[in-house]
Amino acid sequence: MLNIIAARVKQGYRTSAFPKVEPQLPDRFRGLPSVDLAKCPSGCAECVEACPTDAIRIGDGVQIDLGRCLFCTACMDACPEGAIQFSNDYRLATRTRSALHFDGKALQLATALSGRIHALYGRSLRLREVSAGGCNGCEAEVNVLSTIAFDLSRFGISIVASPRHADGLIITGPVSKNMQEALRITYDAIPSPKIVIAVGACAISGGPFMDHQEVCNGAESTVPVDLYVPGCPPHPFTILDGILRILK
């Protein structure tokens, strides 16, 4: 026992001070993209052609669908003028799918749930995770939220094993056809009112598997979604930031 106590003292306090203190993310982290229209050559569509998920549109400016974006930087590498860059901003979660159509201006970040749902879950939230055909990338990022570095439980939030004990769902993966019914049954098993969080490009739009005959192009094909967390996979701080925003 004394050895355990000594080891714990030596380790010190390992839990992040987020959200009181901004997280220190590595330089290689790829967050919210920025678009410099002054550098965007007229008629150039190199970024559009380079994007593997057709996430970029060019009209009056450049619009990036963050719900499809894999943050792979193929567009940044293809642009001859360097008009597209990826910042260190991890704050990406939104309440609506349309808010993820990013035009380079301020992103409309998620706002607090209203009414009865916020009154019920503002201080305690239990979530059931469903991997609906995911590659385990987003699943791993959700799982790490329960480790000592992030300690999801300090906010009154936890991942539970049964939908009967849950207040909502975290969905990862593009919703493969053989998981669609399981997802629907899990959703129906959660008492109302309930929250649904789509984590990752696959759960939002189908990601790189979009329009494949064996996938349903994301969670919205089967259940209503209250929070969209883009990324491939999103950083744990991105997921945590989104959840804390809807809980105010």
Side-chain angles (χ1 to χ4, degrees):
M1 177 61 73
L2 291 177
N3 289 336
I4 293 174
I5 295 173
R8 183 66 185 87
V9 172
K10 183 178 180 180
Q11 289 175 5
Y13 191 75
R14 297 294 184 91
T15 304
S16 165
F18 179 85
K20 291 182 179 180
V21 177
E22 285 291 294
Q24 297 297 313
L25 299 172
D27 293 337
R28 65 179 181 275
F29 173 74
R30 299 185 291 251
L32 184 68
S34 62
V35 181
D36 188 345
L37 295 180
K39 292 183 179 180
C40 190
S42 178
C44 174
E46 295 292 329
C47 58
V48 176
E49 295 175 9
C51 182
T53 56
D54 197 26
I56 303 177
R57 294 283 184 274
I58 294 181
D60 293 334
V62 177
Q63 186 181 84
I64 303 174
D65 184 350
L66 298 179
R68 293 188 176 199
C69 181
L70 305 182
F71 296 77
C72 66
T73 71
C75 56
M76 183 179 76
D77 297 336
C79 181
E81 301 297 330
I84 300 178
Q85 300 291 326
F86 284 82
S87 73
N88 232 220
D89 192 347
Y90 62 92
R91 297 166 296 183
L92 299 167
T94 67
R95 286 289 308 279
T96 64
R97 179 69 178 88
S98 60
L100 291 174
H101 293 280
F102 182 63
D103 59 3
K105 300 176 183 177
L107 183 65
Q108 186 181 345
L109 294 171
T111 54
L113 295 167
S114 58
R116 185 182 173 210
I117 292 183
H118 183 267
L120 286 172
Y121 305 139
R123 298 182 65 181
S124 176
L125 182 66
R126 304 291 179 262
L127 297 168
R128 172 73 168 100
E129 183 185 355
V130 174
S131 175
C135 70
N136 205 40
C138 293
E139 292 84 349
E141 301 303 311
V142 172
N143 289 344
V144 82
L145 287 173
S146 297
T147 64
I148 192 172
F150 298 93
D151 191 13
L152 193 64
S153 62
R154 64 192 162 117
F155 302 107
I157 308 167
S158 62
I159 309 296
V160 295
S162 170
R164 298 292 185 187
H165 302 156
D167 305 312
L169 275 178
I170 291 180
I171 302 171
T172 55
V175 186
S176 59
K177 287 193 174 179
N178 65 352
M179 277 298 297
Q180 187 175 30
E181 183 63 19
L183 175 59
R184 185 181 293 112
I185 291 172
T186 304
Y187 175 80
D188 290 341
I190 298 174
S192 295
K194 44 198 165 189
I195 299 167
V196 176
I197 302 170
V199 172
C202 287
I204 295 174
S205 67
F209 310 104
M210 188 186 311
D211 295 331
H212 189 281
Q213 62 182 358
E214 293 300 326
V215 304
C216 302
N217 290 352
E220 275 189 326
S221 65
T222 308
V223 296
V225 176
D226 300 293
L227 180 68
Y228 301 81
V229 186
C232 186
H235 194 281
F237 280 126
T238 302
I239 304 170
L240 182 56
D241 176 72
I243 295 175
L244 293 182
R245 284 180 183 277
I246 63 173
L247 296 180
K248 202 174 181 180

